[in-house]
Amino acid sequence: MTEHTLTVAGVAVDTRHWIGGERVASTETFPDVSPIDGSVLGEISRGTAMEVAAAVAAAKAAFPAWAATPRAERARILHAVADGVEKRLEELAIVETTDNGALLRSHRRGVMPRVAHNFRFFADWLLKLEHEDFETRGHTNHVSWDPAGPSVLITPWNAPLMLATWKVAPALAAGNTVILKPAEWTPLTASLLADIAAEAGLPAGVLNVVQGYGSEIGDALTSHPDVRRISFTGSVPTARRIAASAAANLTPLSLELGGKSPLLVFADADLDLAADLAVEQYDNAGQVCLAATRFLVEESVAEEFTRRFVEKAGQLTQGDPRDEATDIGPNIHPRQLEKIDGFVQRALASGARAVIGGHRKGAQYYAPTLLTDVAQDSEIVQEEVFGPVLTLQTFATEAEAVRLANDTRFGLAATLATGDPERAERVTAQLVAGTVWTNCFFVRDLQAPFGGSRHSGVGREGGTWSFDFYCDVKNTVTAPNGWRNHG
């Protein structure tokens, strides 16, 4: 291991920033800790306003040439990045697992292939991005998508590379240049992505990676007058600070924030399916913004549903995420574990009952938990825990189910289990959510819009919606027979 390189499971990772096509070290560092065992993986360059200024300047300088690059060439380079991801898939998987604690088997089979797909999808979508010309009183209207400029992308720790490339890929495809700020708890795969992009032929300055604490460099990133777009995935309080910082320059924002999503189980549902969907909410140790953490179950089947859920949850294995047999790994950080346990202990003190779990399992793990006897206005029902903690409430009527489902400040997603298609149509039409799943969960397509309502976010990502955000959408109107004869 050299001064600026750490090794994770035999994979060398550069700990410096990537700015203007070069590695740049900071004078100070911060430790990167593995949630698996609490070990320090290495010291990471700790960015300051100086590195931010250099990255934005590099992105600004690279923007005109990248924006002018033909669509087909931009798409070719993005496909080359995808090739590089696939070539290094195993390395990316083990580094990500070590850095954020999610299951290695998931990274190998689903997450890292999805990273490559993110680049391929937006490369291909770019080539077919168009709006049919239309006429207004004989005048021709032509819609085009012009690259907006340098874009700041601030990404979370729960699915670091997948969620980063969900932003990086469309921003680059749109012709923008990027300053990527990965979460300080999980910076490693962003560094590897910089290497892969450079090897794929992405010009210097088009992608820049600045590491560090959001509290120290966030404002420098989001208030910079040369930044033309800001995309953030994370918490509501941080989003408020970003919005306030961006306001001075009226920089457009895309915000994908928290959730407190419901799982509605009606008496006519397939209860085995409903219990399977419920157990899925423990995925990634509950660190999924889309998770349906509030079970709303019709009274007449609540006891049977709970029995089946507890039986299935009891079959889960919690432990080292590198083990193929593990179903639930660690939570990301002792600070997050403390937060999770605080929610649970306050709920128990207020009269909630732990059907399962309700306690820590060592320094890095929290037992899968289901709480019942919880009030609708209680903290545990209203606030996002972001851990393996679920609640169960009952309802008597369809109207009550909808009321309870919508009774939070969030509106990211909802899941519905019912055997009645007419009920499904009625209920989904009334749910406040950006995504609704009926008798399924986490089926995702990049063609579909993704985002939240209320405090769950601003804007939509996916397909043309991503290009609408990362571009200045222009309409050109041409008069009929208005050309002079130059012949």
Side-chain angles (χ1 to χ4, degrees):
M1 186 165 63
T2 66
E3 180 184 359
H4 298 299
T5 305
L6 59 83
T7 302
V8 178
V11 182
V13 184
D14 200 301
T15 61
R16 295 170 292 180
H17 313 285
W18 179 254
I19 299 174
E22 297 180 351
R23 289 292 177 179
V24 176
S26 296
T27 56
E28 295 188 17
T29 63
F30 64 93
D32 183 33
V33 178
S34 174
I36 298 174
D37 56 11
S39 63
V40 176
L41 299 175
E43 293 290 327
I44 310 299
S45 278
R46 182 171 175 173
T48 67
M50 182 173 67
E51 284 83 16
V52 169
V56 174
K60 182 180 181 181
F63 173 67
W66 181 244
T69 300
R71 285 187 178 190
E73 177 62 9
R74 293 206 302 265
R76 184 194 67 77
I77 293 174
L78 293 187
H79 274 289
V81 174
D83 292 340
V85 169
E86 291 171 347
K87 182 179 178 181
R88 301 188 66 178
L89 190 146
E90 180 65 23
E91 295 180 3
L92 291 167
I94 188 60
V95 169
E96 191 92 298
T97 290
T98 307
D99 206 18
N100 91 322
L103 300 184
L104 179 57
R105 72 176 193 229
S106 295
H107 281 139
R108 283 171 170 160
R109 300 170 192 171
V111 177
M112 293 309 161
R114 176 62 181 268
V115 168
H117 176 66
N118 286 345
F119 284 103
R120 296 199 192 283
F121 174 87
F122 286 107
D124 293 341
W125 200 267
L126 169 66
L127 297 181
K128 63 182 181 182
L129 182 67
E130 62 179 354
H131 188 294
E132 185 176 349
D133 288 354
F134 57 98
E135 289 194 359
T136 304
R137 298 189 300 276
H139 296 65
T140 300
N141 293 264
H142 176 73
V143 177
S144 58
W145 286 262
D146 293 351
S151 302
V152 165
L153 312 180
I154 304 173
T155 56
W157 45 258
N158 57 322
L161 191 58
M162 195 278 284
L163 292 178
T165 57
W166 195 8
K167 300 176 186 294
V168 170
L172 295 181
N176 291 0
T177 51
V178 164
I179 305 98
L180 172 64
K181 194 284 184 187
E184 54 264 34
W185 285 347
T186 53
L188 301 187
T189 50
S191 180
L192 293 177
L193 177 64
D195 295 334
I196 291 170
E199 292 167 6
L202 193 70
V206 173
L207 172 65
N208 306 275
V209 179
V210 179
Q211 304 153 154
Y213 293 114
S215 59
E216 296 178 351
I217 62 174
D219 186 66
L221 283 164
T222 56
S223 66
H224 200 293
D226 290 333
V227 169
R228 296 291 179 257
R229 293 293 186 272
I230 300 169
S231 182
F232 168 73
T233 297
S235 71
V236 172
T238 301
R240 289 195 179 103
R241 292 194 292 272
I242 290 172
S245 179
N249 299 312
L250 296 179
T251 308
L253 296 169
S254 174
L255 303 174
E256 197 273 278
L257 309 178
K260 195 69 179 177
S261 302
L263 166 60
L264 293 82
V265 180
F266 288 90
D268 56 21
D270 177 336
L271 292 186
D272 272 332
L273 171 64
D276 285 336
L277 295 175
V279 171
E280 281 190 59
Q281 309 313 312
Y282 289 131
D283 182 50
N284 201 19
Q287 299 167 143
V288 178
C289 59
L290 292 165
T293 57
R294 296 184 295 130
F295 299 167
L296 304 175
V297 186
E298 194 162 354
E299 289 175 353
S300 61
V301 296
E303 184 177 346
E304 180 60 18
F305 167 81
T306 302
R307 184 189 69 78
R308 298 188 193 198
F309 169 81
V310 170
E311 180 182 349
K312 293 176 184 290
Q315 297 169 8
L316 298 174
T317 299
Q318 187 167 26
D320 192 320
R322 296 166 294 191
D323 189 331
E324 280 282 316
T326 297
D327 300 303
I328 302 177
N331 288 98
I332 185 69
H333 193 277
R335 192 187 312 162
Q336 183 67 14
L337 203 72
E338 187 70 27
K339 176 184 174 185
I340 293 167
D341 193 50
F343 273 112
V344 172
Q345 299 311 316
R346 289 191 297 273
L348 293 174
S350 298
R353 179 173 64 90
V355 179
I356 60 172
H359 56 84
R360 305 181 195 212
K361 293 180 70 175
Q364 305 294 140
Y365 297 79
Y366 205 86
T369 297
L370 175 65
L371 302 177
T372 190
D373 299 335
V374 292
Q376 178 62 22
D377 62 355
S378 63
E379 177 192 55
I380 197 68
V381 170
Q382 293 293 327
E383 298 298 326
E384 184 177 45
V385 177
F386 223 60
V389 178
L390 312 171
T391 62
L392 189 149
Q393 300 165 271
T394 61
F395 62 85
T397 66
E398 186 178 296
E400 184 183 13
V402 171
R403 178 182 63 78
L404 292 173
N406 288 338
D407 187 23
T408 75
R409 63 194 174 107
F410 297 104
L412 187 57
T415 303
L416 175 68
T418 178
D420 184 345
E422 293 182 356
R423 166 174 279 152
E425 185 175 353
R426 285 195 308 271
V427 171
T428 56
Q430 298 175 73
L431 294 175
V432 179
T435 301
V436 180
W437 287 288
T438 301
N439 295 326
C440 61
F441 177 66
F442 218 54
V443 178
R444 298 280 300 279
D445 193 311
L446 284 175
Q447 297 180 77
F450 178 77
S453 304
R454 298 176 176 167
H455 284 199
S456 286
V458 175
R460 293 293 183 266
E461 296 176 282
T464 301
W465 290 276
S466 287
F467 287 94
D468 287 345
F469 172 70
Y470 287 112
C471 292
D472 291 321
V473 183
K474 178 192 294 180
N475 185 43
T476 302
V477 184
T478 303
N481 304 318
W483 307 110
R484 293 181 180 275
N485 187 349
H486 294 285

